[in-house]
Amino acid sequence: MTPNIDRTVLNNGIVLLVTENPTADIVAAKIFLRSGSSYEKREQAGLTHLLSSVLTKGCYGLSSMEIAEQVESVGASLGVDASSDYFLLSVKTVTSDFAEILELAAKILRSPTFPETQIELERRITLQDIRSQKEHPFTVAFDQLRHTMYQDHPYAMSALGYENTVSKLTRDDLVNFHHTHFRPDNVVISIAGRITSEEAETLVNSIFGDWQNNSPELEVLNFNQITVEPRQVLTAQQTQQSIVMLGYFAPGVFSADYAALKLLATYLGNGLSSRLFVELREKRGLAYEVSAFYPTKLFPASFVVYMGTAPENTKIALEGLHTEVDLLWQSTLEVDALQAAKNKILGQYSLGKQTNGQIAQLYGWYETLGLGINFDQEFQKQISDVTVKDAIAAATQYLQQPYISLVGREEAICSAVNVRGKS
């Protein structure tokens, strides 16, 4: 059952969503900004990640330690995250402390001080993370796949950034990004818990109502068309397994084919009963791990299938992944198999709306992407309405020209690259 959600637009442009849920004495708030790493310049890759790391390390009148003490003294939680399509500040606390913690969140959001010492500390941690990722074959395989597919599009860039870009970021860069993008008409506040719509609106108005927009006009993202030129990219590493990955260009969330592709990703690679797991791991013993994913994106997304396998199995693993994806458009998908995928995705979707934090996240995310809060019901209907014909048509349109990314021992991956087409 979908809870009742009230949507209000404040005078300064903030969109407020409130879901009253009195079953637990908890209130969660998700404060979204419609700006993520897609707004970074290429020479500033990693800017939003660094900003998210430093945002809670000091604000007007409060040090990093004082912020932490205020949050921990009431047993609340407060965190910041950044993605390609949005920026997020999350809070959760008992109802009686919500006003205090939301006011703190507003100070952090509106008047961060970005202390130089904290910037340098978080920069060092980020650089360590970037270096560490180079030791993980899956991350290397996915990074090189993303770079090859997206070319000059911002989705090509690593969320963490790169050593040569992160090392050059300055406090002024953080301040300028904050000044441009952190503005009330770019904010969605989604609240769920033991609070009425009237109480929430009064509280948010008292805390955020005086926030006015003094920033320059926001840039409208308008990217060049991506040229689809499937390629094979390889990185040789002395690893215990090969990572075999296929990537297909697929549409963003506003596409009529979105639901069908979500179902196909679930059918192929979601769980122990998925097609890839049963056929390639259980029956053939090829996979240490095997899965598929199709993330929700505003702009063109990627439909990815991958496998971790023994080096000596690299060639047949690549062929096996190809075969299983090709079967989606070469043969008729069984009605029972499609229904099982529907049951799985809808069941997992319902389980993802159990807590106030999950509820606030979901509706705030939909509003931020421009889908609106009614997409909760629309998505479930879209999934239910997908037919076998729809699924096969989507597979035929999008899942025929893969990019190939391989990471592993040189001999193993080089022997596999000519399995399909030219290298």
Side-chain angles (χ1 to χ4, degrees):
M1 180 177 178
T2 301
N4 291 325
I5 308 159
D6 287 320
R7 181 183 185 276
T8 305
V9 181
L10 305 187
N11 290 335
N12 57 5
I14 290 176
V15 177
L16 174 63
L17 310 176
V18 183
T19 308
E20 185 177 357
N21 182 18
T23 55
D25 188 26
I26 297 292
V27 181
K30 304 286 182 173
I31 305 175
F32 289 85
L33 287 104
R34 301 183 187 91
S35 297
S37 61
S38 293
Y39 285 84
E40 295 173 353
K41 300 175 182 177
R42 296 189 72 83
E43 63 270 20
Q44 293 182 331
L47 175 60
T48 51
H49 173 79
L50 184 60
L51 193 153
S52 70
S53 301
V54 179
L55 194 72
T56 60
K57 305 303 182 182
C59 63
Y60 183 76
L62 293 172
S63 67
S64 176
M65 183 59 69
E66 288 169 331
I67 291 172
E69 288 175 348
Q70 187 170 337
V71 173
E72 293 170 8
S73 67
V74 295
S77 66
L78 187 152
V80 182
D81 192 20
S83 79
S84 56
D85 293 330
Y86 62 85
F87 192 97
L88 175 64
L89 190 153
S90 305
V91 299
K92 182 175 68 174
T93 185
V94 296
T95 307
S96 59
D97 297 320
F98 180 63
E100 175 189 347
I101 296 303
L102 186 64
E103 186 172 5
L104 174 63
K107 290 179 182 177
I108 292 170
L109 196 71
R110 296 174 59 178
S111 58
T113 50
F114 300 124
E116 291 278 10
T117 55
Q118 295 293 336
I119 292 173
E120 289 309 311
L121 173 61
E122 295 301 329
R123 188 202 311 277
R124 287 198 299 271
I125 293 173
T126 300
L127 290 172
Q128 290 172 3
D129 290 341
I130 292 171
R131 292 164 189 145
S132 175
Q133 284 194 346
K134 296 176 182 179
E135 301 174 4
H136 298 283
F138 173 86
T139 304
V140 174
F142 185 61
D143 281 351
Q144 70 180 10
L145 179 70
R146 189 182 64 242
H147 280 291
T148 305
M149 291 179 68
Y150 282 102
Q151 306 156 38
D152 294 329
H153 192 284
Y155 283 175
M157 297 187 293
S158 166
L160 288 178
Y162 308 96
E163 290 187 62
N164 66 326
T165 60
V166 172
S167 61
K168 295 177 183 177
L169 293 174
T170 68
R171 183 179 182 278
D172 284 344
D173 294 329
L174 302 183
V175 170
N176 290 336
F177 190 92
H178 179 270
H179 177 68
T180 300
H181 297 278
F182 284 57
R183 46 194 283 170
D185 59 348
N186 204 30
V187 170
V188 174
I189 301 178
S190 180
I191 299 174
R194 187 175 289 181
I195 187 170
T196 67
S197 297
E198 293 78 11
E199 291 169 339
E201 185 174 348
T202 299
L203 178 62
V204 171
N205 258 318
S206 69
I207 295 174
F208 292 93
D210 65 338
W211 190 10
Q212 298 303 311
N213 177 28
N214 298 314
S215 304
E217 199 68 28
L218 276 175
E219 173 191 4
V220 176
L221 296 181
N222 185 19
F223 304 118
N224 295 330
Q225 182 99 17
I226 297 173
T227 304
V228 180
E229 297 177 348
R231 294 172 50 199
Q232 298 170 337
V233 286
L234 291 73
T235 295
Q237 286 188 347
Q238 281 301 109
T239 60
Q240 298 302 309
Q241 63 175 316
S242 295
I243 299 296
V244 180
M245 191 173 288
L246 306 183
Y248 303 80
F249 266 116
V253 67
F254 286 95
S255 170
D257 296 314
Y258 171 75
L261 289 164
K262 275 292 186 187
L263 273 174
L264 290 175
T266 299
Y267 165 75
L268 273 182
N270 186 337
L272 305 183
S273 62
S274 65
R275 173 79 185 187
L276 294 178
F277 191 93
V278 171
E279 295 296 322
L280 300 181
R281 179 182 167 94
E282 294 297 289
K283 291 185 179 180
R284 299 181 63 184
L286 290 176
Y288 299 139
E289 57 177 332
V290 63
S291 191
F293 56 92
Y294 168 51
T296 299
K297 296 288 186 181
L298 272 176
F299 303 105
S302 51
F303 188 106
V304 177
V305 296
Y306 73 92
M307 183 195 304
T309 190
E312 62 270 20
N313 291 331
T314 305
K315 185 173 183 177
I316 56 175
L318 176 58
E319 188 172 35
L321 284 177
H322 261 294
T323 298
E324 293 302 329
V325 177
D326 289 353
L327 284 172
L328 295 176
W329 52 270
Q330 288 179 347
S331 62
T332 301
L333 186 64
E334 295 292 334
V335 174
D336 289 347
L338 184 64
Q339 186 59 51
K342 290 182 180 182
N343 295 341
K344 183 185 294 185
I345 199 171
L346 290 174
Q348 291 174 343
Y349 186 79
S350 295
L351 289 173
K353 298 190 291 182
Q354 297 299 299
T355 69
N356 288 332
Q358 290 172 328
I359 292 169
Q361 171 78 27
L362 185 72
Y363 294 112
W365 181 45
Y366 286 162
E367 179 70 28
T368 301
L369 293 181
L371 296 164
I373 56 178
N374 291 329
F375 189 71
D376 174 46
Q377 290 297 301
E378 292 171 9
F379 172 71
Q380 295 175 77
K381 185 179 186 303
Q382 287 176 15
I383 291 293
S384 298
D385 289 348
V386 173
T387 65
V388 168
K389 183 178 179 181
D390 295 332
I392 294 174
T396 301
Q397 181 172 354
Y398 300 106
L399 305 183
Q400 292 200 43
Q401 299 185 67
Y403 289 75
I404 299 172
S405 176
L406 302 177
V407 175
R409 298 177 187 173
E410 185 172 6
E411 182 179 354
I413 61 176
C414 287
S415 68
V417 291
N418 290 318
V419 170
R420 292 281 174 139
K422 60 184 181 180
S423 61

